[in-house]
Amino acid sequence: MLRQLVMHAPRLFNYTSRRLAHGGCGQILITRAYSSAAMSPPSKAIVYDVHGPPDTVTKLVEVPAVEVKEKEVCVKMLAAPINPSDINRIQGVYPVRPNPPAVGGHEGVGEVLSVGSSVTSLSPGDWVIPSPPSFGTWQTYIVKNENVWHKVQKGVPMEYAATITINPLTALLMLEHCVALNSGDAIVQNGATSMVGQCVIQLAKSRGIHSINIIRDRPGVNEVKEMLKNLGADEVFTESELEVKNVKSLLGGIPEPALGFNCVGGNAASLVLKFLRQGGTMVTYGGMSKKPVTVSTSSFIFKDVSLRGFWLQKWLSTDKAEESRGMIDRLLSLVQEGKLKYKMELAPFDDFSAALDKALGKLGSQPKQVIKF
Ligand SMILES: NC(=O)c1ccc[n+]([C@@H]2O[C@H](COP(=O)([O-])OP(=O)(O)OC[C@H]3O[C@@H](n4cnc5c(N)ncnc54)[C@H](OP(=O)(O)O)[C@@H]3O)[C@@H](O)[C@H]2O)c1
């Protein structure tokens, strides 16, 4: 059940409203009294008025219809994920975030409902994603400029189109741009169950690059290991399995990795560093444990490790929008060919709160929650 339903007074058009006899929650019906051609339908959105814990500050609101101007496109949203960065934006701890009140969500897929009079690149019925990803995808209708939207093939499963612009793109970019890798090389990563981690495994495999994967200890660990190995993981270790003197003795025939990915921090980052070869590089792109990365003095002096960071938003802001659309098309082709997959759970919009609780980790490890509108 949704936590709260409120009504925002329509500002931009004449309307009539009446209270529902049995609707509860003070819900109001809006009857539009204007030509629908140039207006969006009213939208339902998950918004937050202040920063704070997402499960207390988010609420469902009804947003009035807005005008679809000549260069704008009205999109009926189909699906949008709940990503860790969405949670951080609501908490107010993400460096780039909209000022509240704001609609949550940052990526997703929708179907074009109507277009403004000057729009030439899109037509009603097209499937589109905001590319680069942008604010406010947790709502049923969005009106934005034509150039915000990137058309995608309709044959792609909706949940993949909804999730392709952030995590799979991050995996692809980190593999292609951080350190030159050749077939036969190896990478090591923690957070291997994450969407980024699952993509790293498959994209590395497709280039003949071995992956060594670190996951948290959990119930049902063998199923998780099997799932990752089915995606192409060479080795999967829990953190406790790596409490040995020489982790490299566990590598068998896999070469020592030149590149490591860290999205966890704390002990899990130290384990990535332990696997790295002389002169190796660890790229930090997330901090799921909220613990700092600690590097031993000897790792710097005797192993000469390099530490770097990666942030998709920064990469996209350096004039890479067009290039990123090409990469997204490439990733969606891999999805269509069955060469890229990852675990997701579709959650009905009406049950947003339950999906949010799962995304917040309240029920333990869960697949990526994707809201279906
Ligand atoms: N820098 C960038 O540009 C960029 C771009 C995309 C994503 N990211 C970051 O990449 C990371 C993964 O994102 P995603 O969307 O792929 O993740 P996701 O699919 O939502 O999965 C969450 C991952 O975090 C792990 N996790 C959750 N809480 C944890 C904790 N307290 N300690 C350790 N691990 C924990 C989960 O492990 P379990 O399976 O054990 O629960 C799972 O692997 C996030 O930190 C995200 O912010 C960064």
Side-chain angles (χ1 to χ4, degrees):
M1 281 297 293
L2 289 156
R3 289 194 173 86
Q4 203 180 346
L5 183 66
V6 300
M7 175 65 206
H8 278 198
R11 295 178 304 254
L12 301 173
F13 56 92
N14 296 326
Y15 69 95
T16 58
S17 67
R18 65 183 165 84
R19 291 207 174 267
L20 286 176
H22 305 289
C25 304
Q27 190 180 12
I28 294 172
L29 272 188
I30 301 168
T31 309
R32 285 179 290 154
Y34 47 80
S35 157
S36 62
M39 299 295 286
S40 74
S43 183
K44 287 184 178 169
I46 301 294
V47 305
Y48 50 103
D49 291 329
V50 290
H51 291 303
D55 50 351
T56 56
V57 299
T58 54
K59 61 191 175 189
L60 178 74
V61 306
E62 292 195 359
V63 181
V66 294
E67 188 185 349
V68 183
K69 299 198 180 110
E70 58 175 16
K71 290 192 169 155
E72 289 182 333
V73 175
C74 174
V75 173
K76 179 182 189 300
M77 289 304 288
L78 300 172
I82 305 177
N83 284 319
S85 53
D86 297 325
I87 289 168
N88 296 153
R89 280 190 188 91
I90 297 168
Q91 291 166 332
V93 298
Y94 204 74
V96 176
R97 53 181 189 261
N99 286 327
V103 179
H106 206 64
E107 66 172 340
V109 65
E111 185 172 296
V112 174
L113 185 75
S114 65
V115 299
S117 56
S118 308
V119 171
T120 52
S121 63
L122 294 170
S123 311
D126 287 344
W127 274 23
V128 289
I129 56 177
S131 171
S134 54
F135 300 127
T137 52
W138 294 348
Q139 56 184 320
T140 50
Y141 294 95
I142 303 181
V143 175
K144 284 193 181 179
N145 196 285
E146 170 182 24
N147 60 20
V148 165
W149 303 105
H150 177 53
K151 184 172 164 178
V152 296
Q153 295 301 318
K154 268 187 165 177
V156 184
M158 180 180 69
E159 62 274 27
Y160 281 92
T163 53
I164 206 76
T165 53
I166 295 183
N167 294 314
L169 185 58
T170 294
L172 183 62
L173 285 167
M174 291 198 303
L175 275 170
E176 293 193 347
H177 290 270
C178 292
V179 166
L181 295 168
N182 297 310
S183 179
D185 287 343
I187 60 101
V188 56
Q189 66 169 344
N190 60 30
T193 49
S194 68
M195 189 184 279
V196 176
Q198 293 177 60
C199 292
V200 163
I201 290 169
Q202 294 163 85
L203 296 170
K205 180 85 176 174
S206 70
R207 290 175 52 194
I209 296 163
H210 303 281
S211 67
I212 303 149
N213 298 277
I214 304 167
I215 60 174
R216 290 198 285 183
D217 291 86
R218 74 194 67 219
V221 73
N222 287 336
E223 288 78 24
V224 176
K225 284 187 174 187
E226 196 182 323
M227 185 272 286
L228 295 178
K229 287 197 169 171
N230 285 339
L231 293 180
D234 290 83
E235 292 291 350
V236 185
F237 301 108
T238 61
E239 290 185 35
S240 64
E241 285 170 343
L242 296 175
E243 285 167 12
V244 294
K245 201 155 189 184
N246 179 11
V247 294
K248 290 182 182 172
S249 65
L250 303 170
L251 281 184
I254 302 175
E256 293 178 13
L259 177 61
F261 298 128
N262 164 43
C263 72
V264 179
N267 178 54
S270 304
L271 292 172
V272 168
L273 286 167
K274 280 188 186 170
F275 273 111
L276 282 186
R277 77 172 186 214
Q278 181 80 22
T281 299
M282 181 172 82
V283 177
T284 292
Y285 69 99
M288 292 306 296
S289 73
K290 297 192 166 51
K291 294 190 181 131
V293 174
T294 310
V295 187
S296 68
T297 304
S298 61
S299 298
F300 281 123
I301 299 175
F302 304 119
K303 222 161 129 181
D304 192 21
V305 294
S306 297
L307 303 183
R308 289 184 53 185
F310 176 82
W311 191 24
L312 179 67
Q313 192 148 336
K314 178 163 176 279
W315 185 83
L316 287 168
S317 67
T318 51
D319 213 13
K320 294 289 201 299
E322 210 43 54
E323 188 180 339
S324 76
R325 287 185 174 188
M327 296 177 101
I328 283 164
D329 291 343
R330 220 170 105 198
L331 288 163
L332 286 174
S333 298
L334 291 176
V335 169
Q336 276 183 304
E337 291 161 18
K339 293 178 183 161
L340 185 65
K341 50 190 164 192
Y342 35 82
K343 282 216 145 199
M344 288 175 276
E345 186 173 271
L346 278 172
F349 186 45
D350 285 348
D351 226 357
F352 178 81
S353 302
L356 181 62
D357 285 348
K358 287 185 182 175
L360 289 169
K362 288 187 187 175
L363 283 75
S365 298
Q366 296 288 328
K368 172 74 69 193
Q369 297 297 301
V370 181
I371 307 304
K372 185 171 182 285
F373 295 95

PDB file of all heavy atoms in Angstrom, residues 225-245:
ATOM      1  N   LYS A 225      26.403 -18.254  -5.952  1.00  0.00           N
ATOM      2  CA  LYS A 225      27.645 -18.563  -6.684  1.00  0.00           C
ATOM      3  C   LYS A 225      27.323 -19.189  -8.036  1.00  0.00           C
ATOM      4  O   LYS A 225      27.919 -18.846  -9.052  1.00  0.00           O
ATOM      5  CB  LYS A 225      28.504 -19.541  -5.870  1.00  0.00           C
ATOM      6  CG  LYS A 225      29.236 -18.903  -4.711  1.00  0.00           C
ATOM      7  CD  LYS A 225      30.167 -19.917  -4.086  1.00  0.00           C
ATOM      8  CE  LYS A 225      31.036 -19.282  -3.022  1.00  0.00           C
ATOM      9  NZ  LYS A 225      32.048 -20.170  -2.511  1.00  0.00           N
ATOM     10  N   GLU A 226      26.363 -20.101  -8.020  1.00  0.00           N
ATOM     11  CA  GLU A 226      26.000 -20.777  -9.268  1.00  0.00           C
ATOM     12  C   GLU A 226      25.425 -19.778 -10.270  1.00  0.00           C
ATOM     13  O   GLU A 226      25.748 -19.813 -11.455  1.00  0.00           O
ATOM     14  CB  GLU A 226      24.975 -21.867  -8.961  1.00  0.00           C
ATOM     15  CG  GLU A 226      24.825 -22.873 -10.093  1.00  0.00           C
ATOM     16  CD  GLU A 226      23.762 -23.908  -9.772  1.00  0.00           C
ATOM     17  OE1 GLU A 226      23.646 -24.312  -8.599  1.00  0.00           O
ATOM     18  OE2 GLU A 226      23.042 -24.286 -10.710  1.00  0.00           O
ATOM     19  N   MET A 227      24.592 -18.848  -9.768  1.00  0.00           N
ATOM     20  CA  MET A 227      23.993 -17.847 -10.652  1.00  0.00           C
ATOM     21  C   MET A 227      25.101 -17.013 -11.321  1.00  0.00           C
ATOM     22  O   MET A 227      25.089 -16.793 -12.532  1.00  0.00           O
ATOM     23  CB  MET A 227      23.059 -16.955  -9.815  1.00  0.00           C
ATOM     24  CG  MET A 227      22.247 -15.922 -10.564  1.00  0.00           C
ATOM     25  SD  MET A 227      23.053 -14.348 -10.798  1.00  0.00           S
ATOM     26  CE  MET A 227      22.977 -13.627  -9.171  1.00  0.00           C
ATOM     27  N   LEU A 228      26.087 -16.596 -10.529  1.00  0.00           N
ATOM     28  CA  LEU A 228      27.154 -15.757 -11.085  1.00  0.00           C
ATOM     29  C   LEU A 228      28.045 -16.574 -12.035  1.00  0.00           C
ATOM     30  O   LEU A 228      28.498 -16.067 -13.067  1.00  0.00           O
ATOM     31  CB  LEU A 228      27.987 -15.133  -9.961  1.00  0.00           C
ATOM     32  CG  LEU A 228      27.237 -14.130  -9.063  1.00  0.00           C
ATOM     33  CD1 LEU A 228      28.143 -13.596  -7.957  1.00  0.00           C
ATOM     34  CD2 LEU A 228      26.671 -12.957  -9.871  1.00  0.00           C
ATOM     35  N   LYS A 229      28.257 -17.835 -11.697  1.00  0.00           N
ATOM     36  CA  LYS A 229      29.076 -18.682 -12.597  1.00  0.00           C
ATOM     37  C   LYS A 229      28.341 -18.927 -13.907  1.00  0.00           C
ATOM     38  O   LYS A 229      28.958 -18.972 -14.970  1.00  0.00           O
ATOM     39  CB  LYS A 229      29.445 -19.988 -11.901  1.00  0.00           C
ATOM     40  CG  LYS A 229      30.515 -19.747 -10.825  1.00  0.00           C
ATOM     41  CD  LYS A 229      31.217 -20.991 -10.369  1.00  0.00           C
ATOM     42  CE  LYS A 229      32.422 -20.578  -9.516  1.00  0.00           C
ATOM     43  NZ  LYS A 229      33.080 -21.669  -8.844  1.00  0.00           N
ATOM     44  N   ASN A 230      27.020 -19.043 -13.836  1.00  0.00           N
ATOM     45  CA  ASN A 230      26.245 -19.202 -15.080  1.00  0.00           C
ATOM     46  C   ASN A 230      26.339 -17.962 -15.964  1.00  0.00           C
ATOM     47  O   ASN A 230      26.183 -18.040 -17.177  1.00  0.00           O
ATOM     48  CB  ASN A 230      24.777 -19.502 -14.767  1.00  0.00           C
ATOM     49  CG  ASN A 230      24.592 -20.935 -14.307  1.00  0.00           C
ATOM     50  OD1 ASN A 230      25.434 -21.789 -14.578  1.00  0.00           O
ATOM     51  ND2 ASN A 230      23.523 -21.199 -13.580  1.00  0.00           N
ATOM     52  N   LEU A 231      26.575 -16.816 -15.334  1.00  0.00           N
ATOM     53  CA  LEU A 231      26.760 -15.588 -16.130  1.00  0.00           C
ATOM     54  C   LEU A 231      28.161 -15.519 -16.738  1.00  0.00           C
ATOM     55  O   LEU A 231      28.414 -14.702 -17.612  1.00  0.00           O
ATOM     56  CB  LEU A 231      26.541 -14.339 -15.256  1.00  0.00           C
ATOM     57  CG  LEU A 231      25.137 -14.082 -14.717  1.00  0.00           C
ATOM     58  CD1 LEU A 231      25.117 -12.810 -13.874  1.00  0.00           C
ATOM     59  CD2 LEU A 231      24.118 -13.983 -15.846  1.00  0.00           C
ATOM     60  N   GLY A 232      29.080 -16.337 -16.213  1.00  0.00           N
ATOM     61  CA  GLY A 232      30.440 -16.336 -16.768  1.00  0.00           C
ATOM     62  C   GLY A 232      31.527 -16.062 -15.747  1.00  0.00           C
ATOM     63  O   GLY A 232      32.703 -15.934 -16.126  1.00  0.00           O
ATOM     64  N   ALA A 233      31.177 -15.976 -14.468  1.00  0.00           N
ATOM     65  CA  ALA A 233      32.205 -15.725 -13.439  1.00  0.00           C
ATOM     66  C   ALA A 233      33.169 -16.912 -13.376  1.00  0.00           C
ATOM     67  O   ALA A 233      32.739 -18.065 -13.396  1.00  0.00           O
ATOM     68  CB  ALA A 233      31.531 -15.544 -12.075  1.00  0.00           C
ATOM     69  N   ASP A 234      34.465 -16.602 -13.307  1.00  0.00           N
ATOM     70  CA  ASP A 234      35.447 -17.690 -13.190  1.00  0.00           C
ATOM     71  C   ASP A 234      35.523 -18.187 -11.759  1.00  0.00           C
ATOM     72  O   ASP A 234      35.560 -19.382 -11.514  1.00  0.00           O
ATOM     73  CB  ASP A 234      36.827 -17.195 -13.641  1.00  0.00           C
ATOM     74  CG  ASP A 234      36.868 -16.949 -15.137  1.00  0.00           C
ATOM     75  OD1 ASP A 234      36.430 -15.856 -15.559  1.00  0.00           O
ATOM     76  OD2 ASP A 234      37.283 -17.847 -15.882  1.00  0.00           O
ATOM     77  N   GLU A 235      35.615 -17.245 -10.826  1.00  0.00           N
ATOM     78  CA  GLU A 235      35.682 -17.608  -9.404  1.00  0.00           C
ATOM     79  C   GLU A 235      34.743 -16.703  -8.622  1.00  0.00           C
ATOM     80  O   GLU A 235      34.618 -15.511  -8.933  1.00  0.00           O
ATOM     81  CB  GLU A 235      37.104 -17.432  -8.847  1.00  0.00           C
ATOM     82  CG  GLU A 235      38.124 -18.410  -9.400  1.00  0.00           C
ATOM     83  CD  GLU A 235      37.902 -19.849  -8.928  1.00  0.00           C
ATOM     84  OE1 GLU A 235      37.079 -20.076  -8.032  1.00  0.00           O
ATOM     85  OE2 GLU A 235      38.559 -20.745  -9.494  1.00  0.00           O
ATOM     86  N   VAL A 236      34.076 -17.263  -7.612  1.00  0.00           N
ATOM     87  CA  VAL A 236      33.246 -16.464  -6.707  1.00  0.00           C
ATOM     88  C   VAL A 236      33.602 -16.863  -5.282  1.00  0.00           C
ATOM     89  O   VAL A 236      33.554 -18.051  -4.935  1.00  0.00           O
ATOM     90  CB  VAL A 236      31.734 -16.715  -6.941  1.00  0.00           C
ATOM     91  CG1 VAL A 236      30.911 -15.765  -6.068  1.00  0.00           C
ATOM     92  CG2 VAL A 236      31.351 -16.555  -8.411  1.00  0.00           C
ATOM     93  N   PHE A 237      34.009 -15.889  -4.474  1.00  0.00           N
ATOM     94  CA  PHE A 237      34.371 -16.147  -3.079  1.00  0.00           C
ATOM     95  C   PHE A 237      33.510 -15.288  -2.166  1.00  0.00           C
ATOM     96  O   PHE A 237      33.222 -14.120  -2.480  1.00  0.00           O
ATOM     97  CB  PHE A 237      35.833 -15.771  -2.811  1.00  0.00           C
ATOM     98  CG  PHE A 237      36.825 -16.508  -3.677  1.00  0.00           C
ATOM     99  CD1 PHE A 237      37.490 -15.839  -4.702  1.00  0.00           C
ATOM    100  CD2 PHE A 237      37.102 -17.849  -3.463  1.00  0.00           C
ATOM    101  CE1 PHE A 237      38.414 -16.507  -5.504  1.00  0.00           C
ATOM    102  CE2 PHE A 237      38.021 -18.523  -4.259  1.00  0.00           C
ATOM    103  CZ  PHE A 237      38.679 -17.850  -5.285  1.00  0.00           C
ATOM    104  N   THR A 238      33.146 -15.853  -1.020  1.00  0.00           N
ATOM    105  CA  THR A 238      32.549 -14.998   0.010  1.00  0.00           C
ATOM    106  C   THR A 238      33.701 -14.318   0.752  1.00  0.00           C
ATOM    107  O   THR A 238      34.845 -14.797   0.715  1.00  0.00           O
ATOM    108  CB  THR A 238      31.723 -15.815   1.012  1.00  0.00           C
ATOM    109  OG1 THR A 238      32.585 -16.743   1.657  1.00  0.00           O
ATOM    110  CG2 THR A 238      30.575 -16.526   0.333  1.00  0.00           C
ATOM    111  N   GLU A 239      33.360 -13.226   1.447  1.00  0.00           N
ATOM    112  CA  GLU A 239      34.411 -12.512   2.191  1.00  0.00           C
ATOM    113  C   GLU A 239      35.069 -13.442   3.201  1.00  0.00           C
ATOM    114  O   GLU A 239      36.294 -13.419   3.373  1.00  0.00           O
ATOM    115  CB  GLU A 239      33.820 -11.283   2.891  1.00  0.00           C
ATOM    116  CG  GLU A 239      33.422 -10.186   1.907  1.00  0.00           C
ATOM    117  CD  GLU A 239      32.940  -8.916   2.593  1.00  0.00           C
ATOM    118  OE1 GLU A 239      33.460  -8.575   3.667  1.00  0.00           O
ATOM    119  OE2 GLU A 239      32.032  -8.265   2.050  1.00  0.00           O
ATOM    120  N   SER A 240      34.284 -14.299   3.864  1.00  0.00           N
ATOM    121  CA  SER A 240      34.895 -15.157   4.897  1.00  0.00           C
ATOM    122  C   SER A 240      35.803 -16.215   4.280  1.00  0.00           C
ATOM    123  O   SER A 240      36.783 -16.634   4.896  1.00  0.00           O
ATOM    124  CB  SER A 240      33.824 -15.804   5.775  1.00  0.00           C
ATOM    125  OG  SER A 240      33.029 -16.658   5.007  1.00  0.00           O
ATOM    126  N   GLU A 241      35.521 -16.632   3.052  1.00  0.00           N
ATOM    127  CA  GLU A 241      36.409 -17.607   2.387  1.00  0.00           C
ATOM    128  C   GLU A 241      37.768 -17.003   2.064  1.00  0.00           C
ATOM    129  O   GLU A 241      38.721 -17.726   1.762  1.00  0.00           O
ATOM    130  CB  GLU A 241      35.753 -18.115   1.097  1.00  0.00           C
ATOM    131  CG  GLU A 241      34.621 -19.095   1.331  1.00  0.00           C
ATOM    132  CD  GLU A 241      33.813 -19.416   0.078  1.00  0.00           C
ATOM    133  OE1 GLU A 241      33.915 -18.650  -0.913  1.00  0.00           O
ATOM    134  OE2 GLU A 241      33.061 -20.393   0.103  1.00  0.00           O
ATOM    135  N   LEU A 242      37.844 -15.696   2.102  1.00  0.00           N
ATOM    136  CA  LEU A 242      39.110 -15.028   1.760  1.00  0.00           C
ATOM    137  C   LEU A 242      39.914 -14.663   3.016  1.00  0.00           C
ATOM    138  O   LEU A 242      40.896 -13.925   2.921  1.00  0.00           O
ATOM    139  CB  LEU A 242      38.829 -13.787   0.906  1.00  0.00           C
ATOM    140  CG  LEU A 242      38.189 -14.115  -0.459  1.00  0.00           C
ATOM    141  CD1 LEU A 242      37.812 -12.849  -1.216  1.00  0.00           C
ATOM    142  CD2 LEU A 242      39.130 -14.975  -1.304  1.00  0.00           C
ATOM    143  N   GLU A 243      39.462 -15.178   4.150  1.00  0.00           N
ATOM    144  CA  GLU A 243      40.255 -14.957   5.375  1.00  0.00           C
ATOM    145  C   GLU A 243      41.392 -15.971   5.421  1.00  0.00           C
ATOM    146  O   GLU A 243      41.457 -16.842   6.279  1.00  0.00           O
ATOM    147  CB  GLU A 243      39.344 -15.078   6.609  1.00  0.00           C
ATOM    148  CG  GLU A 243      38.448 -13.863   6.807  1.00  0.00           C
ATOM    149  CD  GLU A 243      37.337 -14.107   7.814  1.00  0.00           C
ATOM    150  OE1 GLU A 243      37.381 -15.131   8.518  1.00  0.00           O
ATOM    151  OE2 GLU A 243      36.418 -13.270   7.880  1.00  0.00           O
ATOM    152  N   VAL A 244      42.261 -15.910   4.447  1.00  0.00           N
ATOM    153  CA  VAL A 244      43.421 -16.807   4.360  1.00  0.00           C
ATOM    154  C   VAL A 244      44.656 -15.929   4.188  1.00  0.00           C
ATOM    155  O   VAL A 244      44.550 -14.756   3.808  1.00  0.00           O
ATOM    156  CB  VAL A 244      43.316 -17.774   3.152  1.00  0.00           C
ATOM    157  CG1 VAL A 244      42.164 -18.741   3.337  1.00  0.00           C
ATOM    158  CG2 VAL A 244      43.158 -17.007   1.845  1.00  0.00           C
ATOM    159  N   LYS A 245      45.817 -16.530   4.449  1.00  0.00           N
ATOM    160  CA  LYS A 245      47.042 -15.729   4.415  1.00  0.00           C
ATOM    161  C   LYS A 245      47.348 -15.228   3.004  1.00  0.00           C
ATOM    162  O   LYS A 245      47.697 -14.077   2.800  1.00  0.00           O
ATOM    163  CB  LYS A 245      48.208 -16.583   4.941  1.00  0.00           C
ATOM    164  CG  LYS A 245      49.350 -15.760   5.414  1.00  0.00           C
ATOM    165  CD  LYS A 245      50.189 -16.471   6.439  1.00  0.00           C
ATOM    166  CE  LYS A 245      51.176 -15.468   7.011  1.00  0.00           C
ATOM    167  NZ  LYS A 245      52.088 -16.043   7.921  1.00  0.00           N
TER     168      LYS A 245
END
